Amino acid sequence: MPGLLQTEAYARAVFTSRYPNYDDEEIEEKVAARLARQKLLSRRPLPDISFVLEMIVLTRPIGGRRVMKAQLRHLAEAARLRHVRIQLMDPYREDHAALDGPFVLLETDNRRQLAYIEGQGGSFFVTEHPQLGNLFGKYGVTRAQAYTPERTLETIEKMAEEL
């Protein structure tokens, strides 16, 4: 679940289960920082934000049933925002363009494009072509392979009801 879409309880559960362990103070600092970054969703002018999520993100009960139900409801609220598009990848799809891992595409105020990749070994920015162009192309194909935003919202709401 992307940090921008996490509830406080979900974020806390993520940081609590990290290895090596954070102490309580570090967990609270990380949760507060994650929640502060979520102000991006309501800044002016409104940013254009889209996500493609694997279905497993909605079925793994991080933090337990109660936390996950609240997380699904929160996700549905975000999906209803006009400037936020959330799409789920069909869980029965045998392949898709982004199987090699997550990435974040960014565009600065002066229209400069870059990508951010984070993994177990660290994180880095991609600023040069052809790698940058390939990631933007990959995201376009991935979105085309995923559920529509409308079908995604219906799926999220149904999953929240069933929990």
Side-chain angles (χ1 to χ4, degrees):
M1 184 72 61
L4 286 177
L5 300 174
Q6 293 177 8
T7 64
E8 181 176 346
Y10 187 97
R12 186 169 284 106
V14 168
F15 289 125
T16 299
S17 52
R18 180 189 182 270
Y19 180 87
N21 295 325
Y22 289 129
D23 64 33
D24 290 345
E25 185 176 315
E26 288 174 303
I27 291 170
E28 293 310 311
E29 288 171 3
K30 300 276 186 195
V31 168
R34 179 155 291 175
L35 296 177
R37 282 191 297 276
Q38 292 179 3
K39 291 178 183 172
L40 169 74
L41 295 172
S42 58
R43 78 162 195 217
R44 299 287 187 240
L46 290 173
D48 180 30
I49 303 176
S50 66
F51 302 88
V52 177
L53 307 176
E54 289 283 1
M55 187 73 77
I56 189 67
V57 171
L58 307 186
T59 60
R60 184 178 311 280
I62 304 292
R65 187 173 183 267
R66 183 179 55 78
V67 169
M68 195 65 216
K69 186 175 188 94
Q71 177 60 54
L72 289 170
R73 288 183 174 150
H74 178 73
L75 190 59
E77 288 174 21
R80 286 187 202 96
L81 297 172
R82 285 181 296 140
H83 65 288
V84 177
R85 281 175 302 290
I86 300 173
Q87 292 176 256
L88 290 172
M89 186 57 68
D90 184 338
Y92 299 105
R93 218 188 138 76
E94 293 182 6
D95 64 0
H96 64 75
L99 283 174
D100 53 348
F103 57 96
V104 177
L105 301 177
L106 305 161
E107 187 171 89
T108 66
D109 288 341
N110 62 353
R111 313 283 297 172
R112 180 172 177 238
Q113 294 180 327
L114 56 143
Y116 177 72
I117 299 175
E118 186 173 47
Q120 297 293 327
S123 60
F124 60 94
F125 283 96
V126 177
T127 59
E128 303 293 325
H129 286 281
Q131 297 88 356
L132 183 59
N134 289 344
L135 287 169
F136 273 84
K138 181 183 288 198
Y139 189 62
V141 172
T142 302
R143 287 187 66 199
Q145 293 172 325
Y147 289 170
T148 64
E150 296 78 17
R151 182 172 178 194
T152 293
L153 178 57
E154 290 170 9
T155 302
I156 295 168
E157 289 175 333
K158 182 178 180 189
M159 291 174 80
E161 286 174 21
E162 293 173 352
L163 256 183

